[in-house]
């Protein structure tokens, strides 16, 4: 089964790829993604300077999913600007994720990484884990101002990674802003921020930063992710390429994202749990499912979710 996909005129050999944040910080991790069946290499969100991130323990996996408060640990953009050209030998698209603790940080990182021409740039407006820094994606006008400046700098297709929205008013206002800015694709969603996981035996939180509050991922957030994919798919009449992220641990989960309108799917928690072999398993499961259902291609079922 051909699982290739195209986003903003960039062709991906398969629609399954890593989510920014999962095993994509170091050169070794990025090269391992290059050797794997991942359909792209997505970098960790980069800031101007190296960041150690939040104190450990800062990631915890459990039966329902995961909670993290990594705090944007990354090598800093000069390192990624040096690594990205060497990743081209793997022959798959490279998505550079850009973040910052302030608007000037975003602009600086975007300018530097644009110069080495990754295939696409994903602007991360939704990291929930920096103490004292709210997620910009929840402020429509601040997002608009930042994205308009980034659009002037970034010369490759520019996408935005958004936090989950829980009310149609916010979906609508955000979609209008994204349309005005002219973004090229969306990544939906980042982790569901500021959740709290409790260990009842030890009667304490499971991660150290922010008193135990962190971003939730994995199976428990799939319905929230699907709702956001579906809402934006409908608001853009199916014309905005969407990368669905959240709760994909099986081929069926990936299929659900595609039914809701996703053109590709990113894997976070399952990649951390299983390692890069996860892509091969998901590719097999998704391919077999599509075949069993009689679909000849991904595009045949994209967005076709039925309503009652
Ligand atoms: C983190 O580094 O804290 C996670 C990144 C993100 O959620 O954007």
């Amino acid at each position: 089964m051909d699982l290739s996909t195209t986003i903003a005129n960039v062709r991906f050999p398969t629609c399954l790829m890593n989510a920014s944040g999962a095993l994509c910080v170091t050169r070794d991790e990025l090269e391992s993604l290059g050797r794997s069946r991942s359909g792209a290499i997505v970098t960790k969100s980069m800031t101007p300077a190296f960041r150690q991130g939040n104190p450990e323990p800062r990631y915890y996996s459990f039966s329902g999913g995961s909670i993290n408060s990594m705090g944007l640990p990354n090598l800093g953009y000069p390192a990624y600007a040096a690594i990205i050209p060497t990743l081209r030998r793997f022959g798959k698209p490279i998505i550079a994720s850009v973040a910052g603790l302030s608007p000037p940080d975003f602009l600086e990182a975007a300018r530097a990484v644009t110069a080495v021409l990754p295939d696409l740039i994903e602007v991360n407006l939704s990291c929930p884990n920096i103490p004292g820094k709210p997620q910009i994606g929840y402020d429509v006008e601040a997002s608009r101002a930042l994205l308009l400046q980034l659009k002037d700098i970034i010369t490759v297709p520019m996408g935005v990674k958004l936090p989950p929205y829980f009310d149609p008013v916010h979906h609508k206002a955000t979609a209008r802003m994204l349309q005005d800015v002219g973004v090229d694709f969306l990544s939906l969603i980042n982790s569901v921020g500021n959740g709290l996981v409790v260990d009842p035996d030890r009667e304490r939180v499971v991660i150290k930063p922010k008193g135990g509050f962190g971003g939730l991922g994995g199976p428990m957030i799939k319905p929230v992710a699907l709702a956001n994919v579906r809402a934006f798919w409908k608001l853009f009449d199916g014309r905005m390429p969407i990368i669905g992220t959240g709760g994909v641990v099986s081929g069926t989960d990936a299929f659900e994202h595609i039914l809701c309108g996703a053109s590709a799917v990113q894997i976070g928690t399952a990649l951390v749990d299983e390692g890069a072999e996860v892509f091969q398993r998901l590719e097999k499961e998704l391919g077999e499912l599509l075949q069993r259902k009689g679909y000849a291609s991904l595009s045949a079922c994209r967005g076709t979710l039925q309503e009652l």
Side-chain angles (χ1 to χ4, degrees), residues 159-216:
V160 186
K161 185 159 184 180
L162 293 171
Y165 300 101
F166 301 98
D167 192 284
V169 168
H170 301 136
H171 286 124
K172 267 195 206 126
T174 302
R176 209 173 305 122
M177 177 274 292
L178 296 165
Q179 176 82 49
D180 293 347
V181 169
V183 307
D184 300 300
F185 69 98
L186 301 179
S187 291
L188 305 171
I189 53 174
N190 207 321
S191 59
V192 175
N194 298 300
L196 187 65
V197 173
V198 171
D199 177 341
D201 295 329
R202 298 166 114 181
E203 302 178 20
R204 66 180 202 192
V205 300
V206 298
I207 55 172
K208 187 175 173 68
K210 291 178 70 177
F213 286 66
L216 304 173

Side-chain angles (χ1 to χ4, degrees), residues 110 122 183 207 248 257 265 306:
E122 182 181 277
V183 307
I207 55 172
V248 176
H257 272 271
V265 174
Q306 295 177 47

Side-chain angles (χ1 to χ4, degrees), residues 171-291:
H171 286 124
K172 267 195 206 126
T174 302
R176 209 173 305 122
M177 177 274 292
L178 296 165
Q179 176 82 49
D180 293 347
V181 169
V183 307
D184 300 300
F185 69 98
L186 301 179
S187 291
L188 305 171
I189 53 174
N190 207 321
S191 59
V192 175
N194 298 300
L196 187 65
V197 173
V198 171
D199 177 341
D201 295 329
R202 298 166 114 181
E203 302 178 20
R204 66 180 202 192
V205 300
V206 298
I207 55 172
K208 187 175 173 68
K210 291 178 70 177
F213 286 66
L216 304 173
M220 71 182 143
I221 74 161
K222 187 176 72 173
V224 179
L226 294 176
N228 276 269
V229 170
R230 190 67 181 162
F232 282 102
W233 163 266
K234 289 174 90 165
L235 283 163
F236 283 100
D237 290 325
R239 285 194 291 270
M240 174 67 77
I242 294 174
I243 304 178
T245 310
V248 176
V249 300
S250 70
T252 304
D253 298 323
F255 177 65
E256 291 177 17
H257 272 271
I258 293 159
L259 277 182
C260 288
S263 293
V265 174
Q266 292 183 344
I267 325 295
T269 299
L271 170 58
V272 175
D273 285 347
E274 274 180 64
E277 295 77 34
V278 73
F279 297 110
Q280 201 162 349
R281 176 177 67 77
L282 294 177
E283 192 178 320
K284 182 167 178 291
E285 290 176 7
L286 178 58
E288 286 174 357
L289 179 61
L290 292 177
Q291 208 150 23

Side-chain angles (χ1 to χ4, degrees), residues 20-21 44-45 54 68-73 124 126-130 161 190-191:
S20 175
K44 176 69 183 171
S45 296
N54 290 339
N68 88 83
S69 183
M70 306 302 287
L72 293 176
N124 180 359
S126 48
C127 177
N129 301 328
I130 306 297
K161 185 159 184 180
N190 207 321
S191 59

Side-chain angles (χ1 to χ4, degrees), residues 40-61:
I41 304 173
V42 186
T43 73
K44 176 69 183 171
S45 296
M46 63 191 78
T47 53
F50 169 87
R51 280 178 60 82
Q52 194 72 52
N54 290 339
E56 297 187 10
R58 57 193 187 183
Y59 185 92
Y60 181 81
S61 177

